[in-house]
Amino acid sequence: MFSANLQLNDPDPLLWFFIHLSGAILCAFPFFKISFAALYWVAMIFYTGYAVYLLFISDGVLTWYSDYGAGNITQTMKAEKQY
């Protein structure tokens, strides 16, 4: 739940807020003895589809890998290196 709230300062806050929130809720289900297997499948299909989407969009993972040589993304962010 805390990580979901941290996403509210992103450029696309609602998307990432709900992705993190759904993960927290799905992880809480077993604790409260709630069994809703269909929701796990829906979440897996959505997460997998969104990952594939991010792989192929312009400025996505493949663009980062091919155009920028898969540079280290943990370095300091500079204006000339948006990734």
Side-chain angles (χ1 to χ4, degrees):
M1 300 292 283
F2 179 73
S3 65
N5 282 326
L6 289 177
Q7 304 308 313
L8 294 175
N9 67 349
D10 280 358
D12 50 355
L14 291 180
L15 171 69
W16 290 105
F17 175 80
F18 286 113
I19 286 175
H20 283 83
L21 183 65
S22 68
I25 291 170
L26 291 174
C27 287
F29 277 178
F31 180 77
F32 294 108
K33 296 179 176 56
I34 298 171
S35 179
F36 197 24
L39 194 55
Y40 289 106
W41 283 104
V42 169
M44 282 193 310
I45 290 169
F46 172 77
Y47 294 148
T48 303
Y50 191 61
V52 169
Y53 168 75
L54 290 176
L55 185 66
F56 292 109
I57 63 170
S58 65
D59 287 337
V61 176
L62 289 179
T63 303
W64 165 73
Y65 188 76
S66 63
D67 293 352
Y68 301 111
N72 187 356
I73 61 172
T74 60
Q75 297 173 353
T76 304
M77 185 179 278
K78 298 179 182 175
E80 66 270 4
K81 290 185 175 182
Q82 295 84 3
Y83 56 90

